[in-house]
Amino acid sequence: DGTGTQQQAQQRKVGAAGPRTSSKEMVDTSPPRGTRDFYPEDMRLRNWLFGEWAAVAQLFGFEQFDVPVLESEELFVRKAGEEITDQLYNFQDKGGRRVALRPEITPSLARLVLGKGKGLALPAKWWIVGQCWRYERMTRGRRREHYQWNMDIVGVPGVEAEAELLAAITTFFSRVGISAADVGIKVSSRKVLAAVLERYSVPPENFAQVCVIVDKLEKLPRDKVEAELAALGVSADATEGILSALSCRSLDQLGELLGPAGHDALGDLRQLWALAAGYGFQEWLVFDASVVRGLAYYTGVVFEGFDRAGQLRAICGGGRYDKLLGTFGGEDVPCAGFGFGDAVIVELLKDKQLLPALTQQVDDVIMVMDESLRPAACGIAARLRAAGRRVDVILEAKKMKWAFKHAERSGAARLLLVGGGEWERGAVAVKDLASREQTEVPMDQLA
Ligand SMILES: OCc1cccc(Br)n1
């Protein structure tokens, strides 16, 4: 799966492990466990995907930022039992610092916002595509890296921010040919859980851990989840209250169940649906009270994109995180954002036959017929490139047959042959690879 075709290719180990005993043994040509190589044909798909993400970010007026893939470990040390922190790709560097390959990007964004303090004009709308890592025991054979598109809005407390983020997600899907019939976005709010916990006097400091446990309902049997809640000290009544709230099938039913305590959550969700209707993406949204997401720091609206055929893992996910900055010792700033990985979306595009056909983009291939004319041919290439044509120069003497095959394989429009009688007449032989016609073009008419 994913944009790299080298998914866990059969380990092509050549020779025994350990230091190479002689030059004839080849290195293991597979990438490190859980990682992918991107050969040129893979990079064309990856660049196309990242290009669509960038185009949507620009359509929404977001600004790109970047941060190191290596961060201080403390950015990701959270005590809520999340999978993402349990699988931290962390180590001690040669300076004795505890560092980690980031498993997500939001904490880095928080670090930058805190670093700017009052100097950051709000609201900030930032986007990034970055590789994220986890160290998972290979027993499950899952990947250890993926590229994630993030869009975040900093400094907007209302659900107008979440509506804008959902609009960006649905805009992306539409651009690549995916419709609301293919994909839905489950939406809920953690304020639902907060209201239930308050009713049953569950201490607020347990909120994040309860959310992380409840998020496992999709993967673990109910009794295991109940046991984990009990282990946290959540009473059976509270657990019953949580599970009945999460099984509500509509906003009205949820409103009846929560009463006035649900006012905040219901207000947010109703306003979000109204904005979605305004944007015209309401058909993508599915209210699902069981959506909590697995990250500890969400505090409000949460959402996740899913394939309606139910064949794939979540496509993307996000939500509001108003208290993350406070956990780093800073002033809280209301934030909302999402992450969108590069693997599940490619599986979905494959399933829907929506993968774009991407070929190498070359306009001209130049071959010299006489090595003494190579400097002149380089000058022609320079002129054509200056005019914006993508030129591949054949760098050594080749047979004509090879040159034609190479030009076609490169997807070139023209093959230019420098030399022979044409050169005597101040021209170049030009083979149009589509019509297969060969013409003689004077040098100054080549571009
Ligand atoms: O979304 C969880 C995650 C984090 C880092 C790397 C990979 Br693969 N997956």
Side-chain angles (χ1 to χ4, degrees):
D1 61 354
T3 47
T5 51
Q6 305 292 316
Q7 293 317 312
Q8 300 312 322
Q10 183 55 34
Q11 292 290 344
R12 292 190 289 277
K13 289 220 178 298
V14 177
R20 259 178 277 144
T21 50
S22 78
S23 59
K24 74 176 181 304
E25 275 188 33
M26 187 159 76
V27 294
D28 175 359
T29 60
S30 303
R33 275 192 171 290
T35 68
R36 299 165 292 175
D37 296 324
F38 289 83
Y39 281 92
E41 61 272 18
D42 306 314
M43 275 313 285
R44 284 195 281 273
L45 177 61
R46 183 174 120 182
N47 285 332
W48 168 82
L49 176 66
F50 290 13
E52 286 299 317
W53 284 344
V56 171
Q58 268 127 34
L59 281 176
F60 280 72
F62 279 55
E63 297 176 278
Q64 189 174 15
F65 75 104
D66 197 12
V67 284
V69 71
L70 184 74
E71 281 278 14
S72 164
E73 182 188 56
E74 68 175 342
L75 236 48
F76 310 110
V77 173
R78 303 192 286 255
K79 303 267 180 291
E82 300 151 278
E83 192 178 79
I84 203 168
T85 53
D86 289 347
Q87 297 173 343
L88 200 55
Y89 212 130
N90 56 344
F91 55 98
Q92 184 148 316
D93 74 10
K94 290 184 166 54
R97 295 175 200 83
R98 296 296 309 164
V99 290
L101 296 179
R102 65 182 174 220
E104 55 168 336
I105 298 174
T106 308
S108 301
L109 175 140
R111 175 172 67 74
L112 266 64
V113 171
L114 287 173
K116 273 267 183 159
K118 297 277 179 275
L120 178 64
L122 296 181
K125 298 175 182 176
W126 288 357
W127 73 277
I128 184 172
V129 178
Q131 194 172 32
C132 296
W133 294 82
R134 66 183 173 197
Y135 191 86
E136 185 167 63
R137 301 269 163 248
M138 279 322 274
T139 43
R140 289 173 61 178
R142 290 200 302 173
R143 276 181 298 101
R144 287 183 174 156
E145 54 77 24
H146 71 168
Y147 284 85
Q148 212 187 61
W149 173 38
N150 279 224
M151 297 256 283
D152 288 87
I153 298 178
V154 179
V156 173
V159 296
E160 293 85 350
E162 288 90 322
E164 189 71 353
L165 294 166
L166 290 165
I169 290 171
T170 53
T171 299
F172 164 79
F173 282 130
S174 302
R175 283 172 61 100
V176 300
I178 290 167
S179 75
D182 302 315
V183 162
I185 302 177
K186 294 174 185 170
V187 181
S188 185
S189 172
R190 281 198 174 175
K191 289 182 181 176
V192 170
L193 266 182
V196 173
L197 296 192
E198 193 178 336
R199 166 184 295 177
Y200 291 95
S201 315
V202 174
E205 54 271 19
N206 288 355
F207 178 66
Q209 277 178 274
V210 168
C211 291
V212 171
I213 292 170
V214 167
D215 178 60
K216 297 176 190 174
L217 268 172
E218 285 196 7
K219 291 155 263 186
L220 291 181
R222 176 174 167 141
D223 60 327
K224 286 244 185 322
V225 171
E226 289 174 341
E228 286 196 32
L229 288 171
L232 187 58
V234 177
S235 69
D237 281 357
T239 296
E240 203 43 51
I242 289 167
L243 296 174
S244 60
L246 296 183
S247 52
C248 279
R249 315 294 298 160
S250 72
L251 286 179
D252 292 342
Q253 189 189 357
L254 187 64
E256 281 156 33
L257 184 87
L258 295 178
H263 178 77
D264 208 356
L266 271 292
D268 284 351
L269 293 168
R270 292 198 197 289
Q271 188 191 357
L272 186 56
W273 251 261
L275 293 169
Y279 271 114
F281 67 77
Q282 191 178 6
E283 58 178 343
W284 293 78
L285 303 188
V286 177
F287 169 68
D288 183 332
S290 71
V291 172
V292 282
R293 297 296 292 165
L295 292 174
Y297 48 71
Y298 287 133
T299 56
V301 168
V302 283
F303 50 84
E304 74 187 27
F306 68 100
D307 77 298
R308 292 187 191 263
Q311 301 302 310
L312 302 170
R313 305 182 303 286
I315 303 164
C316 57
R320 176 160 292 281
Y321 53 97
D322 288 345
K323 302 233 180 309
L324 179 62
L325 276 69
T327 66
F328 294 144
E331 283 299 305
D332 275 329
V333 175
C335 296
F338 67 79
F340 199 131
D342 72 330
V344 178
I345 182 62
V346 167
E347 287 175 64
L348 178 67
L349 290 167
K350 276 180 193 156
D351 292 351
K352 304 285 180 189
Q353 280 89 42
L354 287 170
L355 283 181
L358 301 165
T359 54
Q360 186 181 353
Q361 304 290 312
V362 164
D363 297 314
D364 298 329
V365 170
I366 293 182
M367 182 161 93
V368 295
M369 312 303 283
D370 162 354
E371 278 305 316
S372 70
L373 297 177
R374 184 164 293 281
C378 293
I380 293 169
R383 221 151 31 83
L384 292 173
R385 286 163 176 160
R389 291 185 72 86
R390 295 157 298 187
V391 180
D392 168 25
V393 176
I394 294 175
L395 299 173
E396 49 192 346
K398 289 287 183 184
K399 291 199 178 0
M400 190 64 79
K401 190 166 176 298
W402 183 94
F404 280 129
K405 234 175 68 189
H406 170 74
E408 285 180 350
R409 223 182 17 238
S410 311
R414 303 188 307 182
L415 171 61
L416 280 64
L417 306 168
V418 178
E422 292 81 0
W423 185 254
E424 307 297 321
R425 298 185 290 276
V428 168
V430 177
K431 179 96 175 173
D432 180 310
L433 293 165
S435 67
R436 308 195 68 71
E437 268 168 43
Q438 180 150 328
T439 54
E440 183 169 315
V441 179
M443 284 276 284
D444 57 1
Q445 292 170 30
L446 277 176

